[in-house]
């Protein structure tokens, strides 16, 4: 599946997840380091995208960086808007990242390399604090989300072949279930329908795999 058969913006909101926002103390760098160092028992949220895993495919390994930028007025999450002409996820909001290459020493190395290639963020400003469970996408990838703290100031340069724009969203906004929308569309396919999360913020539309990984980060931090 290289191109979407529907426009997610036109799919009506079915419901709001509605969980309470993450407590402010859990947004601090010290608390986040401790949580990833000593994770509690918790359960990732499944998604319709993971049906691709059961459809006879062998997913390709990939990794993304979840960059938590430690701004003085509150942490943010950094995202990219992908260029529209990319084969997979073109025009969509995503975390920096990509496919695991043969020379990568680990999925963490993949996430760091791809981040530097896509947006020019050097490893010296990135403190990796842990990772979340693998996330399987409908486009056939097995993605490891790597969480990291990023120290400003940032001087970023988007790779014009992959990234149309770089932007940040307040961490507190994304870690609030009242901002997590569920949408369902009926499809003319073997799966019949697809339910997915969206997290619109200003002019940006976060959805699909990126929203799914954010939901798992939310569950992990509120457990």
């Amino acid at each position: 599946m290289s191109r979407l058969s529907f426009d997610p913006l036109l799919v009506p909101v079915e419901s709001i997840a509605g969980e309470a926002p993450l407590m402010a103390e859990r947004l601090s760098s010290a608390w986040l380091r401790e949580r990833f160092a000593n994770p509690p028992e918790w359960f990732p949220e499944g998604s319709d995208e993971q049906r691709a895993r059961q459809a006879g495919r062998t997913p390709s390994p990939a990794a993304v960086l979840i960059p938590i930028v430690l701004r003085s007025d509150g942490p943010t999450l950094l995202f990219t808007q992908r260029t529209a002409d990319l084969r997979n996820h073109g025009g969509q909001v995503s975390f920096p990242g990509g496919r695991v290459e043969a020379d990568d020493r680990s999925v963490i190395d993949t996430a760091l390399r791809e981040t530097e290639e896509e947006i020019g963020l050097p490893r010296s400003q990135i403190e990796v604090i842990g990772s979340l469970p693998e996330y399987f996408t409908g486009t056939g990838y097995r993605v490891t989300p790597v969480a990291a703290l990023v120290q400003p100031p940032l001087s970023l340069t988007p790779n014009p072949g992959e990234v149309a724009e770089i932007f940040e969203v307040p961490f507190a906004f994304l870690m609030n279930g009242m901002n997590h929308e569920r949408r369902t569309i009926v499809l003319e396919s073997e799966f019949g329908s697809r339910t997915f999360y969206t997290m619109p913020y200003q002019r940006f539309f976060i959805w699909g795999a990126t929203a799914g990984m954010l939901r798992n980060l939310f569950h992990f931090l509120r457990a």
Side-chain angles (χ1 to χ4, degrees):
M1 183 174 64
S2 59
R3 294 291 179 185
L4 277 176
S5 59
F6 65 94
D7 184 346
L9 277 164
L10 300 181
V11 179
V13 176
E14 181 180 64
S15 61
I16 302 296
E19 298 96 342
L22 207 65
M23 291 184 291
E25 67 180 38
R26 298 194 176 200
L27 303 177
S28 72
S29 58
W31 194 93
L32 292 167
R33 288 189 189 98
E34 175 62 24
R35 169 49 56 101
F36 277 96
N38 298 285
E41 182 179 7
W42 71 289
F43 300 97
E45 190 169 71
S47 76
D48 283 356
E49 287 193 297
Q50 296 184 341
R51 296 181 188 182
R53 185 185 181 189
Q54 303 164 355
R57 294 186 187 183
T58 300
S60 302
V64 298
L65 193 75
I66 301 180
I68 303 167
V69 184
L70 302 176
R71 297 289 183 188
S72 59
D73 55 349
T76 64
L77 282 183
L78 186 149
F79 296 92
T80 68
Q81 181 100 42
R82 293 167 64 81
T83 54
D85 57 354
L86 289 174
R87 180 182 177 190
N88 288 323
H89 308 287
Q92 294 183 24
V93 169
S94 68
F95 293 115
R99 185 195 300 264
V100 172
E101 301 291 348
D103 293 340
D104 292 337
R105 293 166 293 181
S106 66
V107 288
I108 292 176
D109 194 45
T110 299
L112 295 175
R113 173 184 57 76
E114 286 280 349
T115 297
E116 189 157 17
E117 290 175 1
E118 288 185 8
I119 64 174
L121 179 61
R123 299 180 184 218
S124 59
Q125 286 183 264
I126 301 172
E127 177 192 347
V128 173
I129 57 175
S131 61
L132 294 173
E134 294 175 332
Y135 189 95
F136 292 81
T137 74
T139 46
Y141 288 95
R142 173 168 53 88
V143 183
T144 300
V146 177
L149 305 178
V150 177
Q151 295 287 348
L154 304 183
S155 179
L156 306 177
T157 303
N159 180 334
E162 297 184 68
V163 177
E165 191 169 356
I166 304 166
F167 67 97
E168 297 175 34
V169 178
F171 198 20
F173 175 89
L174 295 166
M175 295 295 102
N176 183 347
M178 291 302 297
N179 298 321
H180 301 175
E181 304 171 347
R182 276 190 293 262
R183 307 186 189 212
T184 297
I185 184 170
V186 177
L187 299 171
E188 294 181 4
S189 71
E190 60 185 300
F191 299 137
S193 66
R194 178 176 172 187
T195 297
F196 54 92
Y197 280 98
T198 63
M199 302 171 188
Y201 178 76
Q202 296 181 355
R203 61 187 176 85
F204 299 103
F205 190 72
I206 302 168
W207 79 287
T210 301
M213 286 183 266
L214 284 169
R215 283 288 294 175
N216 280 340
L217 177 61
F218 179 55
H219 289 311
F220 174 69
L221 297 181
R222 67 191 292 267

